[in-house]
Amino acid sequence: MSLQIQMLGTGSAFAKTFYNTSALIRSNELNVLIDCGATTPRSLHDIGVHPDQIDGIIISHIHADHVGGLEEIAFRLLYQYKSKKTKLFLTESLAGVLWENTLKGGMYNPTDGFSRLEDYFEVIHIEENVPANILPGLTIEFISTLHIPHKLNYSLFINGRTFYSADTQFNKELLVQEIVNKRNCHTILHDCQLSGNGFIHATLEELLTLPDYVQERIYLMHYDDDMMNFVGKTGRMTFIHQHEVIEIPE
């Protein structure tokens, strides 16, 4: 069975039309989230997927458009679904930052026995740059990439065929030499800032400098609400749309 990726949102942190960028991996009847931004619970509702149907959540970094929905998911699993714990996949370093700097303020409740991330999720630490078989038929590699200086950030390599940038600055050498030429990556889902300077995201202008054989593998995501103004201006790259499903061949 081929792996499917369905985009729950394709918008930037400030987009209102397309929801925050996150995705749902469907593999062997399992559902795994890539990130869980503030709009992710609503998008799951839109496609009829309930929190108790999520078998795992992968976290790339801790900006709100990537983790802002975790509190809702955790509380609903606790109160609506009889304390069900879903798996939370992330590096050990990121787990500490996620709890202490992001979730603790709203979720810390020692009176009822909830004072750690592990009290809400089955936390599974993944080592950087080492492929990990996290669930049957699903292998994830956390690749350290630069988004905001001095902040932990990871892109993902899925089943040895798909690169998912999450958020990252443009890195031509990584995309061309490592991801495509060395690893023979079939599909790339890459964040794209459509205009302006690419201080924290790859820009469309930068991505258009990639060779055609790399561009033709790229789906563009994490774009602004004016995306329609750029249709036909993306070279051999393609915009991926909210709730669109793509098949990833084995």
Side-chain angles (χ1 to χ4, degrees):
M1 174 182 176
S2 64
L3 176 146
Q4 292 183 334
I5 296 179
Q6 182 172 19
M7 299 306 298
L8 298 176
T10 56
S12 69
F14 307 137
K16 300 299 181 286
T17 302
F18 305 111
Y19 293 4
N20 301 145
T21 292
S22 62
L24 184 66
I25 300 174
R26 301 178 186 269
S27 177
N28 296 323
E29 299 183 357
L30 298 172
N31 295 313
V32 179
L33 287 178
I34 300 178
D35 289 330
C36 186
T39 59
T40 300
R42 179 177 177 179
S43 189
L44 288 169
H45 174 79
D46 290 345
I47 63 172
V49 175
H50 303 289
D52 66 328
Q53 296 173 296
I54 300 300
D55 300 289
I57 305 172
I58 299 165
I59 299 299
S60 66
H61 65 293
I62 64 166
H63 280 151
D65 58 317
H66 292 262
V67 298
L70 282 176
E71 180 176 311
E72 177 180 335
I73 294 296
F75 282 148
R76 290 182 65 189
L77 289 172
L78 175 63
Y79 295 115
Q80 287 186 307
Y81 298 103
K82 301 179 179 179
S83 300
K84 175 181 171 63
K85 284 187 178 181
T86 195
K87 294 178 172 64
L88 190 68
F89 302 103
L90 70 177
T91 66
E92 185 174 4
S93 298
L94 194 59
V97 176
L98 174 64
W99 176 251
E100 291 295 332
N101 293 9
T102 301
L103 298 180
K104 187 176 180 179
M107 297 172 65
Y108 182 68
N109 183 8
T111 301
D112 292 337
F114 297 97
S115 59
R116 307 173 305 150
L117 188 63
E118 290 81 2
D119 295 327
Y120 290 97
F121 297 100
E122 181 182 344
V123 178
I124 299 176
H125 296 145
I126 306 297
E127 188 175 348
E128 289 184 25
N129 303 315
V130 177
N133 185 15
I134 64 172
L135 289 169
L138 183 58
T139 299
I140 299 293
E141 180 179 349
F142 281 71
I143 300 173
S144 180
T145 45
L146 178 61
H147 179 35
I148 301 291
H150 312 297
K151 294 189 74 170
L152 294 168
N153 187 82
Y154 300 96
S155 296
L156 307 171
F157 202 51
I158 305 167
N159 280 13
R161 300 302 309 276
T162 302
F163 180 77
Y164 185 99
S165 74
D167 289 358
T168 185
Q169 295 181 29
F170 183 62
N171 189 331
K172 189 171 187 176
E173 182 177 358
L174 173 67
L175 290 172
V176 177
Q177 301 302 329
E178 177 68 19
I179 298 302
V180 174
N181 290 351
K182 182 178 179 180
R183 300 189 183 214
N184 192 29
C185 178
H186 178 277
T187 303
I188 298 171
L189 293 101
H190 208 291
D191 55 315
C192 178
Q193 182 176 316
L194 295 176
S195 57
N197 295 319
F199 295 118
I200 60 175
H201 290 283
T203 66
L204 177 59
E205 182 178 3
E206 290 171 323
L207 291 166
L208 284 168
T209 69
L210 294 168
D212 285 352
Y213 74 93
V214 176
Q215 286 190 37
E216 63 191 13
R217 306 169 197 232
I218 294 179
Y219 290 95
L220 300 173
M221 60 183 186
H222 206 284
Y223 42 73
D224 297 323
D225 283 337
D226 61 348
M227 178 270 284
M228 291 301 296
N229 295 334
F230 293 85
V231 172
K233 301 175 183 179
T234 60
R236 294 181 178 270
M237 299 176 288
T238 304
F239 284 117
I240 192 165
H241 299 280
Q242 184 182 8
H243 295 155
E244 182 177 352
V245 178
I246 59 173
E247 299 272 350
I248 307 298
E250 297 179 359

